[in-house]
Amino acid sequence: MSHATTPRPMRATASGPLKGAVEVPGDKSISHRALIFGLLAVGETRVSGLLEGEDVLRTADAARALGATVEHLAPGEWRVRGMGVGTLLEPRGVLDFGNAGTGSRLMMGVVGGHPIRATFDGDASLRKRPMGRILDPLKKMGVEVMDCAEGNRLPLTIRGARDALPITYETPVPSAQIKSAILFAGLNAPGETTVIENEASRDHTEKLLAFFGAEVEVSKHGAHGRKIVLKGQPSLGPRPIIVPADPSSAAFPIVAALITPGSDIIVKSVMMNPLRVGLLITLQEMGADIVELERREEGGETVADLRVRHSALKGVDVPAERAPSMIDEYPVLAVAAAFAMGETRMNGLQELRVKESDRLAAVAAGLAVNGVEHQVMGDDLIVSGNGRAAKGGGNVETHMDHRIAMSFLVMGLASERPVGVDDVTFIATSFPDFLPLMARLGGKIS
Ligand code: S3P
């Protein structure tokens, strides 16, 4: 099991106006998928702008263990040589995904479509996360679970299907990880694999499947859902992938600028995929001064430079159906809400309980130690601000969760008293440059 590092506590103190233009690293979801598509395509896939965070590097190791040649050419530039769907090798050792739910779950789907056996493991956080949601559909496709920790958790060993069965599956929760695992397994199944989701989740897998030459049809399902039909056993041709900047990482400097008086920053080339912009919509409803400077297409996604200025925010009601498009952004939205005037109600946060930590509990505890009035009612979080700086002064437990650490450091930049976090090491899973980037903007974190 990985990540037995010594915790590194840090604290953020009230900072002067944040100023400057920054670019956050490549999108984590697309980076994992870029490596997986490189593994499954025949030939050489070039990737630019890959997020070189620990989570993604674990996926690179797993792709190597399954038979791909994965080379780091220059910062952000990678080359993957794969041999095609159906050709994966049985890995010799354990596939250790560290902290990464996405890497582990997507790779379970990849392995599940091949007649090979593999053991999946991760750190203490990943070992707590539910894997039954992935194993259930994979079992229907013919995957055998040979060994598994109690409650369908890691470490677990599966043997993929010799002839995977194409299935039709309605996901029990909106989850791009469940959807993608099924589609990856379905790549090596004869016939059509269908995934139905009642709330649309991020669509990077479907878009990349089409881009790499698979036959995939996406249609509407109900008011907010989608139906995805994939024709199995395609030959995937390699394509160059440009990874756009991660909106989930951009969220941190954006909220930092909104709550820190006098701030005026630009965050460059942020991916504006409609299934990822729930936080921006919510912040704009709260009165945030966020202006798109230039909208353009890059590598199959719309990106924009965003100018963000300090703003007087007001509380809003965030509808539950918006959750899939901002699922990773609630911790930092809770921080913004702490500085807003009035009540911000975030509805339907049940999925937050099974992320890198129980984020609903971790956010509530972080707000409590920093004197922010809030309430958890069932699966909803209500934060009450008075339009002034949060009190701060608390020490936040991060529970091996990068987004809890970054969110509360952002809070400390604009709070009356410093905000400490017990460990910043996990920030390296998704945003290795977070600390220097925030320092360049004028944030005081030490
Ligand atoms: C991801 C999907 C989301 C998200 C995670 C990345 C992906 O998880 O929280 O950080 O890349 O597919 P769920 O699918 O469990 O909602």
Side-chain angles (χ1 to χ4, degrees):
M1 194 168 82
S2 49
H3 278 307
T5 48
T6 320
R8 264 176 74 207
M10 282 208 171
R11 58 182 209 158
T13 49
S15 303
L18 303 180
K19 299 271 180 185
V22 287
E23 186 155 5
V24 302
D27 186 64
K28 184 149 76 74
S29 294
I30 296 184
S31 294
H32 283 297
R33 288 161 172 81
L35 295 170
I36 292 173
F37 275 93
L39 163 69
L40 294 173
V42 187
E44 184 177 305
T45 295
R46 289 290 289 264
V47 188
S48 307
L50 190 89
L51 163 65
E52 289 166 5
E54 281 177 21
D55 277 10
V56 175
L57 299 179
R58 296 307 174 111
T59 293
D61 288 343
R64 287 188 184 102
L66 291 164
T69 306
V70 183
E71 293 165 283
H72 186 199
L73 306 175
E77 298 294 320
W78 291 67
R79 177 166 57 208
V80 188
R81 286 203 189 87
M83 291 185 305
V85 173
T87 67
L88 299 197
L89 305 177
E90 187 160 279
R92 288 218 196 97
V94 171
L95 302 177
D96 181 350
F97 285 93
N99 198 247
T102 305
S104 58
R105 288 171 169 153
L106 269 49
M107 277 298 192
M108 278 179 212
V110 172
V111 166
H114 290 77
I116 56 175
R117 178 187 154 130
T119 298
F120 293 74
D121 204 356
D123 67 14
S125 155
L126 191 55
R127 280 183 170 200
K128 285 189 201 150
R129 299 181 67 184
M131 296 297 163
R133 53 176 58 197
I134 303 295
L135 298 177
D136 287 347
L138 291 184
K139 282 193 271 192
K140 290 188 196 300
M141 299 178 87
V143 172
E144 190 188 341
V145 180
M146 307 186 72
D147 197 12
C148 180
E150 212 188 311
N152 287 317
R153 301 197 195 255
L154 299 187
L156 65 81
T157 302
I158 58 174
R159 192 202 303 277
R162 179 154 298 281
D163 295 300
L165 295 171
I167 59 168
T168 294
Y169 195 79
E170 185 172 328
T171 57
V173 289
S175 162
Q177 294 179 356
I178 302 176
K179 170 176 64 181
S180 302
I182 298 166
L183 293 173
F184 281 131
L187 270 177
N188 205 18
E192 286 180 353
T193 295
T194 303
V195 182
I196 295 168
E197 44 184 12
N198 292 310
E199 305 275 347
S201 65
R202 63 192 69 192
D203 60 357
H204 309 303
T205 301
E206 302 89 294
K207 287 177 89 169
L208 285 167
L209 279 168
F211 186 49
F212 274 70
E215 267 184 57
V216 59
E217 252 177 55
V218 181
S219 52
K220 281 189 82 156
H221 176 78
H224 306 289
R226 286 191 178 177
K227 177 174 165 191
I228 301 106
V229 182
L230 169 68
K231 194 153 177 211
Q233 301 184 323
S235 171
L236 299 181
R239 300 277 185 277
I241 299 182
I242 301 168
V243 184
D246 194 331
S248 300
S249 296
F252 300 106
I254 288 172
V255 170
L258 290 174
I259 62 175
T260 307
S263 297
D264 185 354
I265 68 165
I266 290 171
V267 188
K268 292 191 264 182
S269 308
V270 181
M271 176 168 59
M272 301 295 282
N273 179 311
L275 293 167
R276 297 291 300 279
V277 293
L279 176 76
L280 290 179
I281 293 168
T282 304
L283 290 171
Q284 278 162 339
E285 286 174 3
M286 293 172 82
D289 183 352
I290 302 175
V291 178
E292 276 181 36
L293 293 185
E294 198 200 338
R295 199 176 244 263
R296 56 201 182 271
E297 291 295 311
E298 260 175 35
E301 291 286 356
T302 303
V303 301
D305 297 339
L306 302 177
R307 182 176 184 187
V308 187
R309 279 175 278 197
H310 173 249
S311 307
L313 301 176
K314 64 175 191 322
V316 294
D317 208 78
V318 190
E321 59 271 17
R322 198 178 288 163
S325 68
M326 55 179 296
I327 193 67
D328 292 333
E329 282 70 83
Y330 285 102
V332 81
L333 174 63
V335 169
F339 290 74
M341 173 65 89
E343 208 173 83
T344 297
R345 187 180 184 113
M346 300 165 228
N347 297 285
L349 304 190
Q350 56 278 9
E351 276 297 295
L352 252 57
R353 296 188 194 275
V354 291
K355 294 295 174 187
E356 285 81 332
S357 66
D358 175 344
R359 283 192 177 149
L360 194 46
V363 167
L367 294 173
V369 293
N370 287 295
V372 178
E373 206 184 303
H374 67 284
Q375 227 183 324
V376 176
M377 286 180 71
D379 294 324
D380 304 340
L381 172 65
I382 301 144
V383 178
S384 306
N386 51 23
R388 290 198 301 273
K391 287 201 184 78
N395 211 356
V396 177
E397 283 186 62
T398 53
H399 301 280
M400 305 176 80
D401 189 330
H402 54 135
R403 298 199 202 278
I404 298 296
M406 289 186 277
S407 297
F408 283 97
L409 287 173
V410 164
M411 175 182 252
L413 299 177
S415 294
E416 285 171 13
R417 293 196 291 143
V419 173
V421 299
D422 65 355
D423 190 10
V424 297
T425 55
F426 288 88
I427 293 176
T429 61
S430 69
F431 198 162
D433 288 339
F434 173 76
L435 293 168
L437 182 142
M438 294 309 290
R440 277 206 303 285
L441 290 173
K444 293 183 196 150
I445 303 175
S446 57

